[in-house]
Amino acid sequence: MQTIMGVIADDLTGGMETASMFVALGVGCGFVTRPELVASSAPEPVMVVAQKTRVIPAAEATRQCASAAQALLEAGARQLFFKYCATFDSTDEGNIGPVTDRLLEMVGEDRTLFCPTAPEAGRTVYNGHLFVGSELVSDSPKRYDPLTPMTDPDLVRVLQRQTRAKVGFLPHRLVRHGGKPLRAHVEEAGSRGIRYWIADAIYDEDLAAIATLTADWRLVTGNSPIVQHFPPLWRQRGWLDDAPRKLALPAIDSPGVVLAGSCADRTLEQLAQFEQQRPVLRIDIAETASVEGAVADSLAWARRHLGEGPAAIATSAAPDAVRAAQARFGRDGAARFAEEILSGLAVALHEMGVRRFVVAGGETSGAVVERLGIDRLRIGAYQGPGVARATTEGDDPIGLCLKSGKLGPVGMFLPTLESMRRAEM
């Protein structure tokens, strides 16, 4: 079986969501966190390599993503998909532009497209501008993001600051109709030197039109929802049969814990909702003396509560508290300090017998999975933005939900942990 699409995800939550969408459609999908594992994985139509590259230095992100791309191309992938966040999380230094530059070079093409739209989650692009619900991203809480604040809604400008390639956009009036007019526009503007396209997209039908346009391109970039429109096109081309492929997830009966590092408004709301029924320990990074002390104190707190049901431990905080932590540790230092606490705590909780985890935040998820030594996952079916299950392989599986900080229903924590106690067929 040839790999049709190789997905390079810039964090684990996005990679898991992308994989879960394929699984929900009955498309076999492998998931690894290290490129060198691709060669030893069972062949599937889709292979996801998810790494923690969103906020690391651009040169290192480019190197890691190129390594993933090389492994996927050697596995025979017809097309690469570079997955990033719906809010185009990046800075003027990268990482979306530099990574795309390198991937495009590797596949030997001269054009690609950027489609962050997620209609179900209210992330849309119109006239090249990114909206979160009815607000421009620059007016949304995303402007306060501690690592990648989005203060410019014009994605053409945002991307142009990250690349030397000429950036244009595909207007919605053309995307809406798709077909020959859209292809003709791309060809004509391409002859004028435009290599990168920000795609207007508001509705699911727009994503279908963009997938049709790019089905034979060697590289496409974007957020996960567009991938749902590729399998029907693969079947039309005879690349994919109709036989459903899905691996069952085992039931896991153990204590359950939420570990939250995201400072997104949605994560704060989810913690508040969870706290109405179960206890939440909030760790104030600005007032914490050491990682070791925070882990020891949190573990002692968890022991007192987990016998009665799930509990949550969070470094998540509102903007004022984030600024206080950054004043003490620096922007990147505060994030690393929080990740070290939660990832160290994950190891200690696992040693204590916890096997069910909901982890909120892309960077936090990457740190937890890496610290637990997890490099392969069996992914369950997509259940909505930010909601999907996964388990590790082996005789003592760990159940995971790796959730983007900005996504998921407000009341998702308890039901998601409870769902892990049932097998998913």
Side-chain angles (χ1 to χ4, degrees), residues 5 7 9 11-32 46-50 81 83 120 223-225 227-228 231 245-247 249 377-391 400-404 407 424-425:
M5 177 176 280
V7 178
D11 75 350
L12 273 74
T13 60
M16 182 171 169
E17 181 172 80
T18 304
S20 72
M21 289 181 172
F22 284 115
V23 171
L25 294 171
V27 178
C29 185
F31 185 101
V32 300
V46 178
M47 174 59 71
V48 175
V49 180
F81 183 81
K83 195 280 174 197
E120 191 177 3
N223 190 30
S224 51
V227 304
Q228 299 171 99
R245 295 179 177 86
K246 188 176 177 182
L247 294 174
L249 301 185
L377 285 174
R378 179 182 297 186
I379 307 296
Y382 179 72
Q383 300 171 31
V387 187
R389 287 171 50 189
T391 64
L400 293 165
C401 172
L402 308 178
K403 185 200 82 70
S404 167
L407 297 180
E424 180 178 310
M425 306 305 294

Side-chain angles (χ1 to χ4, degrees), residues 218-231:
R218 295 297 311 282
L219 173 67
V220 180
T221 86
N223 190 30
S224 51
I226 192 175
V227 304
Q228 299 171 99
H229 297 279
F230 284 105

Side-chain angles (χ1 to χ4, degrees), residues 32 34-43 47 49 71-72 74-75 376:
V32 300
R34 294 190 288 124
E36 58 267 30
L37 296 178
V38 172
S40 60
S41 298
M47 174 59 71
V49 180
L72 292 165
E74 289 175 356
R376 295 184 193 268

Side-chain angles (χ1 to χ4, degrees), residues 319-401:
D320 286 349
V322 171
R323 284 191 286 270
Q326 291 180 337
R328 177 183 175 191
F329 294 105
R331 189 197 72 168
D332 295 339
R336 283 195 301 271
F337 192 69
E339 289 169 17
E340 287 174 9
I341 291 171
L342 292 178
S343 61
L345 186 57
V347 173
L349 288 166
H350 180 261
E351 291 173 352
M352 198 175 80
V354 175
R355 296 294 184 272
R356 292 183 293 141
F357 291 92
V358 172
V359 187
E363 298 305 305
T364 305
S365 294
V368 166
V369 167
E370 182 178 5
R371 192 74 174 271
L372 286 172
I374 298 168
D375 52 22
R376 295 184 193 268
L377 285 174
R378 179 182 297 186
I379 307 296
Y382 179 72
Q383 300 171 31
V387 187
R389 287 171 50 189
T391 64
T392 57
E393 303 284 353
D395 296 331
D396 185 21
I398 301 171
L400 293 165
C401 172

